Amino acid sequence: MDEQTTDAIRRVHQDGFTILEGVIPSDRVDGVRAAVVDAQLRIRERSAAEQAAIRAKGHRVGVEGVAGSRGIVNHTQAFAPWLAESRIMNVSHAFFGDHVRISCTDCVINQPGCGRGYWHADWPYNQTNASHIPVPYPDALLHLATIWMLTDFTPENGGTLLVPGSHRYEGNPSADNMGGIDRDAPYPTEFHAVGSAGSVLLYDSRMWHAVPPNRSDADRVALIVRFAPWWLNLEPTRPGSPEHTAMVIETDGKNYAQPEVTPQAYAALPDDVKPMYRHWVAAEG
Ligand SMILES: O=C(O)CCC(=O)C(=O)O
């Protein structure tokens, strides 16, 4: 195994995260960002309506001033040539073995003045999701999250807020068992994940993290891509599946959800990326 992969694995084990620089080459990242922003603008209204509907049920979702869209891979594949980048694949395979699957391809645009989000871990550890592993959880990494920096991430524009080492705790502030930690307040050891456009923050989904405020005068643009082992049941995140209906619709809950990949989008993916989406392709017609 090469030195960079060994280092990345050690960091994810020990610190809960690592930052991989230059995943998207610097001379290509502007084009990728333009394609993602353009796709997001085309679907923005529907996303805002979805979020409003979940808030109307009394659930906490999203942050004011953050425009997000689920399943952006259906609307642009501009970033797809780098989804199977060797460092990301090496780390995913080291934790999960072969047959890694992509479980999420969203985008987020944090606009100037956007607020701070609450401390949470990602699905299936986020306790506010209708489908989640209840706390206290065993010490197991089940899902890897990545945040792709399509603009530079800085403390000013809001590099993702992290609590290093928090991935080994038995819970996170989205649960009520964390000894009264205020999920909306700054945490003493928090820090911003920063990097230049084209870098990827890769973290254990248990990691406590929060949407940062954007105090700059420009959008902070990112992709959220998650990698799951073949044995993690993703069905509760598939709208229309029996599990999603039982656990989310019938409980009036909120969940992390991911639209199926259209056959047209799937056909446009590079050959080395297709196997990671194959489980989520919608039926033809
Ligand atoms: O936008 C960010 O930096 C954090 C996003 C986040 O909290 C998440 O993907 O769960």
Side-chain angles (χ1 to χ4, degrees):
M1 199 175 290
D2 66 275
E3 208 174 301
Q4 282 195 45
T5 306
T6 310
D7 182 59
I9 293 167
R10 185 179 52 74
R11 284 171 189 260
V12 174
H13 261 308
Q14 280 179 207
D15 304 329
F17 73 99
T18 189
I19 295 170
L20 305 173
E21 287 173 13
V23 173
I24 301 179
S26 54
D27 59 342
R28 303 292 297 278
V29 74
D30 288 351
V32 172
R33 182 178 62 252
V36 167
V37 169
D38 178 62
Q40 212 281 328
L41 283 174
R42 281 185 271 126
I43 53 181
R44 179 173 277 187
E45 278 180 27
R46 202 181 58 210
S47 312
E50 279 168 12
Q51 284 209 353
I54 299 172
R55 282 201 195 103
K57 290 184 191 172
H59 296 301
R60 188 128 174 211
V61 58
V63 170
E64 296 294 345
V66 176
S69 292
R70 297 193 181 284
I72 195 83
V73 70
N74 281 331
H75 305 278
T76 174
Q77 298 82 41
F79 49 85
W82 299 282
L83 287 172
E85 198 258 5
S86 61
R87 288 170 291 176
I88 297 175
M89 290 297 91
N90 287 341
V91 174
S92 306
H93 290 158
F95 283 109
F96 300 146
D98 292 340
H99 306 295
V100 166
R101 307 190 294 185
I102 290 180
S103 57
C104 167
T105 323
D106 293 347
C107 81
V108 282
I109 302 181
N110 295 22
Q111 294 151 351
C114 81
R116 177 185 175 115
Y118 71 103
W119 290 116
H120 63 282
D122 285 335
W123 189 90
Y125 296 104
N126 187 327
Q127 302 296 299
T128 69
N129 284 163
S131 66
H132 64 263
I133 300 172
V135 291
Y137 12 82
D139 185 6
L141 193 173
L142 304 180
H143 208 186
L144 274 172
T146 60
I147 298 187
W148 295 52
M149 306 178 193
L150 299 184
T151 48
D152 293 346
F153 272 29
T154 65
E156 196 193 13
N157 76 1
T160 307
L161 284 166
L162 304 172
V163 178
S166 57
H167 61 304
R168 307 299 288 273
Y169 298 176
E170 289 184 337
N172 67 80
S174 71
D176 294 326
N177 76 332
M178 293 307 299
I181 287 175
D182 180 353
R183 63 175 84 166
D184 293 303
Y187 191 80
T189 59
E190 74 181 34
F191 110 119
H192 286 284
V194 298
S196 51
S199 303
V200 171
L201 164 67
L202 186 155
Y203 60 94
D204 183 323
S205 293
R206 291 175 292 175
M207 186 92 189
W208 299 13
H209 62 283
V211 174
N214 181 350
R215 300 195 184 91
S216 77
D217 56 9
D219 288 344
R220 195 217 69 175
V221 184
L223 285 171
I224 297 184
V225 182
R226 298 189 184 135
F227 296 84
W230 62 266
W231 40 261
L232 183 63
N233 179 17
L234 300 173
E235 288 305 301
T237 75
R238 189 196 299 262
S241 74
E243 276 112 318
H244 187 271
T245 302
M247 299 171 82
V248 184
I249 305 296
E250 291 173 7
T251 63
D252 222 12
K254 75 155 189 184
N255 212 46
Y256 151 64
Q258 196 58 200
E260 291 183 315
V261 178
T262 63
Q264 295 76 11
Y266 181 72
L269 294 172
D271 285 346
D272 59 350
V273 168
K274 279 185 172 147
M276 293 192 284
Y277 280 103
R278 191 172 163 183
H279 64 294
W280 216 249
V281 181
E284 204 76 56

